[in-house]
Amino acid sequence: MTVMNPYGHLEDLKSPNKIGTRDLSVYSLVQSSRLDHTPPLPKVFHGHFKLNHGPPSTSAGHPEEIKNLFPNLFGQPSVQLVPCDGPSYNEDRKLRVGVVLSGGQAPGGHNVIAGMFDYLQVHAPGSVLYGFKGGPAGIMRNKWVEITETLVYPFRNQGGFDIICSGRDKIETPEQFKQAEETVTALDLDGLVVIGGDDSNTNAALLAEYFRSRKLKTRVLGCPKTIDGDLKSKQVPISFGFDTACKLYSEMIGNIMVDARSTGKYYHFVRLMGRAASHITLECAFQTHPNVAIIGEEVHAQKLTLRQVTNSIADVVCKRAHLGKHFGVVLIPEGLIDFIPEIENLIAELNDLLATQGCDPQGHWKSKLKPACRALFNSLPHNIQEELLLERDPHGNVQVARIETEKMLISMVEAELFARQHEETFKGHFKGQAHFFGYEGRCGLPTNFDATYCYALGFAASALLHCGQTGLIASVSNLTAPASEWVVGGTALTELMDVERRRGKNKPVIKKAMVELDGAPFKKFASLRDAWAVEDSYISPGPIQFSGPTADDTCYTLKLEVGSL
Ligand code: FBP
């Protein structure tokens, strides 16, 4: 099958060396219409540009430890691309670049690759882009596919990561670093771009440091991806995928709200993805106005117990029952369980136990838990106990996506209301419906915002490699302005780093950006939630729009954070 590519050339999709190409005949009309959408670029890419270097950087925490771990990278400045009159670096240099998608899917990943590819075609013709297949394992095993226009075209502005697929492997042992060295040396790579979340960008920094210490020519850059929205800083205002995922979840929450109001008989408990931070829950709350939205960071700050969280939901149910309303919508962040200090302690003890000696099926390991943790563990429903013991992901994290907190809270609220019925403080009925909106949000067609942001990130990554940069994360800011005004640069990865205890050991990590309780988004939410609890001011945002007046809207969190709302 032949298709017309955006440069007006006919390309054969069935060429034998083009792996992973999709069959365009099965695309929906909406998917097809997105293929030829060309995202607008920041104006710095309309002409020549140069790098402006900022002041020396430090780290988010423990600077001495980070300096020891990254002697070659620590302190390097962040950079900004600014327009200039003529060439400021070797613009004729052809590059050999690798790219890898790492971790969970996030809408827009294909556009980062398309942006990298298009930059190289336009600004460094003759360059080669390799896509490592299946995540970081593809680097270690030297499994790649050459990214060509024919390969990339069917993925332009499309959801998913299937152009080269992703994986959660980590390059961490000396042998694995050696394998990565062998691959980049065999391919003679000038640069490698790791598109990932906090853990994957930590890996990018470790690789950048290692390659530099080995005096390899390969530079390594990161790119901020995660629907969770917890990889951000002043210079990296948002991770890609957050905007699309929140809009997809909000559409479904809005539908559920209308259902709840129509039948008047169910409380819908919706657990929303976001392994650690509650950014998705907060954003969806702005978009839909639920009766309750629990923000994990607040639970943690107030040191609430599971019982107190349960009671706070039961209080809203009682208030609404008093008004004759026996329905409602409760949003719960996926990471809630980790935020409840008593459960956090339990998880920390379980992590150490699992990492050092494992848990025997007879349950003798429980005697190693401290008494308070043991009592809490024994008090949890059996399914939650099992879910807490599930295998950790390759980064040592509890797989919170598999812990059904919404079901646990429904049964605890039910029990609490039953007790209140006996005390005659609750007169009404309560029936919970559990939902988990997670994977549904990770591969949708990227919103205009994510499509444009990712395309710019791809351009930024290739441009930074073209200028010989390493150890940076591509960063694009001023995002509430039109795309032509966006500011493009790179932030030192070590500037985002701290030291954390993982799997019983201290490790360098990119500091997760949590919901800040003194930040504008949370403060705004706190000022509105009491009214949302009792009034049904539900909003049904409807499906994502690609044209029309709201198509280019950015999310509330971003607008509130930058003060444009
Ligand atoms: P990333 O941080 O890698 O982007 O992944 C985020 C996430 O989607 C979380 O929200 C979720 O808890 C987790 O991935 C699920 O992981 P998996 O895909 O391995 O089930």
Side-chain angles (χ1 to χ4, degrees):
M1 179 185 188
T2 52
V3 293
M4 185 76 77
N5 73 24
Y7 302 103
H9 303 128
L10 279 176
E11 296 264 0
D12 182 8
L13 292 182
K14 291 215 175 116
S15 175
N17 60 337
K18 312 299 186 302
I19 304 169
T21 305
R22 284 171 170 176
D23 176 2
L24 295 186
S25 69
V26 298
Y27 274 35
S28 69
L29 280 177
V30 179
Q31 277 181 298
S32 303
S33 73
R34 296 300 284 164
L35 287 174
D36 294 319
H37 166 73
T38 306
L41 277 170
K43 65 172 173 241
V44 70
F45 290 122
H46 295 170
H48 296 289
F49 57 82
K50 61 176 183 169
L51 290 186
N52 265 1
H53 294 262
S57 63
T58 175
S59 65
H62 298 90
E64 281 311 313
E65 276 181 74
I66 298 295
K67 189 174 176 182
N68 287 339
L69 290 163
F70 296 91
N72 291 291
L73 294 182
F74 186 83
Q76 69 166 337
S78 296
V79 298
Q80 191 180 317
L81 270 57
V82 292
C84 65
D85 293 335
S88 60
Y89 54 93
N90 185 0
E91 292 189 354
D92 294 333
R93 190 172 150 231
K94 295 183 182 71
L95 295 174
R96 299 174 65 81
V97 176
V99 61
V100 67
L101 290 161
S102 182
Q105 282 69 247
H110 287 146
N111 272 26
V112 179
I113 295 177
M116 286 180 66
F117 177 77
D118 288 355
Y119 175 93
L120 294 173
Q121 295 291 301
V122 174
H123 297 275
S127 295
V128 186
L129 180 60
Y130 297 100
F132 287 104
K133 298 202 294 185
I139 302 176
M140 294 186 274
R141 298 192 193 120
N142 198 3
K143 296 273 181 231
W144 49 266
V145 59
E146 186 182 334
I147 308 283
T148 60
E149 177 51 34
T150 306
L151 178 62
V152 85
Y153 177 70
F155 297 93
R156 288 181 184 269
N157 304 298
Q158 307 292 314
F161 275 4
D162 41 332
I163 187 171
I164 46 174
C165 297
S166 182
R168 287 203 182 277
D169 298 279
K170 203 169 176 179
I171 301 173
E172 52 186 350
T173 65
E175 296 73 41
Q176 290 167 332
F177 276 94
K178 192 85 194 106
Q179 285 166 353
E181 176 175 349
E182 280 163 13
T183 297
V184 300
T185 308
L187 292 174
D188 192 27
L189 290 189
D190 298 292
L192 173 65
V193 175
V194 179
I195 304 174
D198 50 331
D199 284 332
S200 312
N201 275 281
T202 300
N203 228 199
L206 289 165
L207 271 180
E209 175 67 30
Y210 174 77
F211 289 169
R212 209 168 235 191
S213 71
R214 303 281 301 152
K215 306 209 175 344
L216 303 186
K217 70 170 191 174
T218 314
R219 318 289 166 117
V220 187
L221 297 178
C223 185
K225 171 238 64 166
T226 175
I227 63 160
D228 293 4
D230 56 7
L231 173 53
K232 59 179 167 181
S233 66
K234 217 169 107 215
Q235 301 93 325
V236 183
I238 193 168
S239 56
F240 76 76
F242 177 77
D243 187 74
T244 310
C246 290
K247 286 175 180 158
L248 287 168
Y249 296 142
S250 296
E251 180 198 355
M252 293 192 287
I253 296 165
N255 296 348
I256 277 178
M257 288 170 159
V258 179
D259 194 288
R261 191 168 50 203
S262 304
T263 64
K265 63 177 181 183
Y266 292 128
Y267 269 88
H268 293 272
F269 282 55
V270 185
R271 175 166 52 107
L272 291 161
M273 225 178 211
R275 192 204 319 271
S278 306
H279 297 293
I280 292 181
T281 299
L282 188 55
E283 175 63 27
C284 291
F286 285 123
Q287 293 195 24
T288 62
H289 300 183
N291 301 110
V292 179
I294 299 172
I295 302 302
E297 288 81 345
E298 183 181 28
V299 169
H300 193 257
Q302 295 184 355
K303 298 191 171 48
L304 298 184
T305 60
L306 199 49
R307 173 142 302 283
Q308 286 169 314
V309 173
T310 306
N311 286 350
S312 69
I313 302 172
D315 290 347
V316 172
V317 175
C318 288
K319 268 192 209 154
R320 291 177 62 79
H322 197 66
L323 298 169
K325 298 177 188 181
H326 306 287
F327 63 91
V329 174
V330 179
L331 303 187
I332 303 156
E334 180 182 61
L336 174 67
I337 199 119
D338 256 344
F339 279 113
I340 299 176
E342 54 184 353
I343 298 191
E344 196 189 11
N345 290 341
L346 172 63
I347 288 176
E349 282 197 34
L350 290 175
N351 281 349
D352 277 355
L353 262 178
L354 284 168
T356 51
Q357 44 198 280
C359 298
D360 59 281
Q362 296 75 24
H364 298 134
W365 59 270
K366 285 192 209 167
S367 62
K368 309 240 164 55
L369 291 175
K370 292 197 185 107
C373 285
R374 197 162 52 237
L376 175 65
F377 186 82
N378 289 333
S379 75
L380 293 171
H382 191 65
N383 60 324
I384 300 289
Q385 289 185 356
E386 281 182 351
E387 287 161 5
L388 280 173
L389 294 177
L390 288 172
E391 200 189 324
R392 271 44 182 164
D393 75 8
H395 300 286
N397 300 315
V398 175
Q399 300 189 53
V400 282
R402 292 167 70 179
I403 300 180
E404 296 173 310
T405 337
E406 69 286 15
K407 291 193 183 155
M408 177 179 80
L409 282 173
I410 288 177
S411 56
M412 294 184 75
V413 169
E414 213 165 46
E416 172 62 23
L417 291 171
F418 185 70
R420 292 189 192 188
Q421 246 161 358
H422 274 263
E423 294 160 3
E424 300 198 349
T425 48
F426 172 59
K427 289 193 182 68
H429 48 89
F430 170 84
K431 177 113 187 68
Q433 292 285 0
H435 310 263
F436 171 44
F437 294 164
Y439 299 95
E440 296 86 341
R442 299 203 312 186
C443 284
L445 285 166
T447 54
N448 280 356
F449 173 80
D450 272 327
T452 308
Y453 180 43
C454 288
Y455 196 60
L457 284 170
F459 258 71
S462 284
L464 290 168
L465 289 176
H466 210 177
C467 298
Q469 296 296 294
T470 193
L472 304 177
I473 183 169
S475 46
V476 178
S477 56
N478 198 28
L479 296 171
T480 53
S484 62
E485 305 299 319
W486 289 1
V487 175
V488 180
T491 300
L493 279 162
T494 44
E495 195 173 350
L496 310 180
M497 293 190 124
D498 199 350
V499 175
E500 246 178 40
R501 201 161 172 75
R502 293 266 176 102
R503 293 175 147 194
K505 288 188 185 146
N506 281 348
K507 296 263 181 186
V509 292
I510 303 261
K511 190 132 177 72
K512 275 193 196 300
M514 309 308 282
V515 170
E516 285 176 15
L517 301 184
D518 56 359
F522 181 80
K523 279 187 178 163
K524 180 83 180 166
F525 162 74
S527 72
L528 296 168
R529 64 177 156 188
D530 289 348
W532 293 348
V534 286
E535 293 161 11
D536 301 333
S537 37
Y538 301 149
I539 294 185
S540 202
I544 286 169
Q545 306 292 305
F546 296 115
S547 60
T550 59
D552 294 328
D553 264 7
T554 47
C555 57
Y556 286 83
T557 310
L558 183 64
K559 285 192 270 197
L560 286 161
E561 273 169 356
V562 302
S564 75
L565 197 69

